[in-house]
Amino acid sequence: GHAKQQQKVLGIVSTTGVYGNHDGNVVTEESALLCEPGSNADIYRKFEEEWIENTMEHTSDCNNTTGPRQLYIFRCAGIYGPSRSALHTVYKQGYNSSLANQTNQNATKTNRIH
């Protein structure tokens, strides 16, 4: 009989920063990647492209037993790191107490991981 070959899966963590500035429009997984060339987000975009390319090459080779068959890219917003948190952002941009007390129905939506 034929031995059942296990499907190989690879997941990588990237950033929503690869989407760049969409001027306040809703961004989905199908949105264009508009990050600034040379930015940290652009490094992630290139990293994603290399893995996509690598995975596609391996997927087309039916006899390959070393490369992943499926690739999942997890684009996270608000990845914390040195000098990269909500508190650092407020500190760098300044805090406006009058704006903090206002209710804004069009508030910016984001998610954070830690």
Side-chain angles (χ1 to χ4, degrees):
H2 295 292
K4 185 176 179 181
Q5 191 173 15
Q6 239 180 355
Q7 184 175 17
K8 295 184 181 196
V9 177
L10 174 67
I12 60 172
V13 177
S14 187
T15 173
T16 56
V18 297
Y19 294 114
N21 184 354
H22 282 259
D23 296 319
N25 294 309
V26 173
V27 174
T28 68
E29 291 177 1
E30 290 79 32
S31 297
L33 305 183
L34 303 177
C35 56
E36 294 289 325
S39 66
N40 284 344
D42 192 41
I43 294 169
Y44 278 96
R45 182 192 59 76
K46 290 175 183 174
F47 168 75
E48 288 182 15
E49 285 178 357
E50 286 181 24
W51 274 110
I52 291 167
E53 202 172 292
N54 182 312
T55 303
M56 289 179 70
E57 287 173 8
H58 288 302
T59 301
S60 64
D61 179 3
C62 296
N63 296 319
N64 181 358
T65 58
T66 59
R69 301 283 184 202
Q70 284 186 299
L71 174 68
Y72 294 96
I73 300 172
F74 302 97
R75 291 181 178 147
C76 302
I79 299 174
Y80 294 102
S83 301
R84 297 180 64 197
S85 72
L87 292 175
H88 287 95
T89 302
V90 169
Y91 176 77
K92 289 175 189 171
Q93 294 178 353
Y95 178 74
N96 186 336
S97 61
S98 64
L99 291 177
N101 293 323
Q102 294 177 2
T103 302
N104 183 350
Q105 298 217 359
N106 295 320
T108 301
K109 294 176 178 75
T110 186
N111 68 334
R112 303 244 175 223
I113 62 168
H114 54 81

